[in-house]
Amino acid sequence: MAEQPNGFPTLKPAVITKVNIADVNTLGNIYNGSKLTHYGTPTGTIETIPGFEPAFKAKVVFGADWLSLDPDGKHGRIDLRGIAQTDKGFAIDFRAAGVIKITPEIRKIVDMDPTMATIPFGAITASHTFLSADPELKVLESSVFCSNSRFVVSEKGLGVETRQSLVVASTDMD
């Protein structure tokens, strides 16, 4: 494996978020020409992977994505906001902003085509932030996370699975 160039950050796998889409409300074209759709995501889970600290598990109690599709239809813009409650009873505000490459498979999902299917990771990337009432999780508020996501279609409905990594700053000197 090639050595990483100096000064670049690395990624540390950290969190898996799964949200369930409960309702889809198309708002239509807005002032900038984008098509805006509201996806309610009122349930799901957020959980750190084994070995990541601070470790936590939480249940999503509110969420929504205000997804806007670019006028040319080639990309979508994620604006996800949600609230989860940890297994210790503390609230977490979680947010994501990102970009979706609109592939033919994702177009089926956006259009709620009955032939839609689960997609692999790779077309959806985002940055994430967390705010928490739990003093043990305050470090998350001063951290940067990035992710890959995918749509998951199952007998239970449509959901989004997100794998988030902590961005670890380089300490190299040139």
Side-chain angles (χ1 to χ4, degrees), residues 106-173:
I106 291 176
R107 171 60 62 196
K108 287 183 178 183
I109 292 168
V110 169
D111 292 342
M112 298 305 288
D113 183 316
T115 65
M116 65 185 171
T118 297
I119 64 163
F121 292 101
I124 307 170
T125 57
S127 61
H128 294 263
T129 60
F130 296 97
L131 298 172
S132 179
D134 184 346
E136 294 178 13
L137 299 181
K138 287 293 183 188
V139 67
L140 300 177
E141 296 179 9
S142 300
S143 300
V144 175
F145 293 86
C146 62
S147 71
N148 279 326
S149 299
R150 66 180 180 154
F151 286 104
V152 177
V153 179
S154 71
E155 64 282 348
K156 295 178 184 178
L158 180 60
V160 178
E161 178 181 356
T162 302
R163 307 272 174 116
Q164 300 151 346
S165 292
L166 174 69
V167 178
V168 180
S170 171
T171 58
D172 296 338
M173 292 291 291

Side-chain angles (χ1 to χ4, degrees), residues 14-18 45-49 161-164:
V15 179
I16 298 175
T17 299
K18 297 178 181 179
T45 59
I46 303 174
E47 186 172 344
T48 53
I49 67 166
E161 178 181 356
T162 302
R163 307 272 174 116
Q164 300 151 346

Side-chain angles (χ1 to χ4, degrees), residues 4-148:
Q4 180 169 316
N6 286 343
F8 287 89
T10 57
L11 299 178
K12 180 178 181 180
V15 179
I16 298 175
T17 299
K18 297 178 181 179
V19 295
N20 304 307
I21 296 174
D23 58 293
V24 179
N25 300 291
T26 301
L27 284 77
N29 291 336
I30 58 174
Y31 69 94
N32 65 4
S34 295
K35 179 182 176 186
L36 186 62
T37 304
H38 174 271
Y39 291 86
T41 57
T43 61
T45 59
I46 303 174
E47 186 172 344
T48 53
I49 67 166
F52 182 82
E53 293 295 332
F56 70 93
K57 293 181 182 180
K59 290 185 179 179
V60 175
V61 296
F62 166 82
D65 183 10
W66 288 262
L67 176 68
S68 62
L69 295 178
D70 291 355
D72 67 6
K74 294 180 180 178
H75 293 90
R77 309 291 163 176
I78 300 164
D79 181 8
L80 175 72
R81 306 170 206 172
I83 299 171
Q85 186 168 18
T86 69
D87 54 0
K88 294 180 182 179
F90 291 100
I92 296 177
D93 173 306
F94 63 97
R95 297 175 187 226
V99 177
I100 300 174
K101 180 179 180 183
I102 305 296
T103 63
E105 296 79 17
I106 291 176
R107 171 60 62 196
K108 287 183 178 183
I109 292 168
V110 169
D111 292 342
M112 298 305 288
D113 183 316
T115 65
M116 65 185 171
T118 297
I119 64 163
F121 292 101
I124 307 170
T125 57
S127 61
H128 294 263
T129 60
F130 296 97
L131 298 172
S132 179
D134 184 346
E136 294 178 13
L137 299 181
K138 287 293 183 188
V139 67
L140 300 177
E141 296 179 9
S142 300
S143 300
V144 175
F145 293 86
C146 62
S147 71
N148 279 326

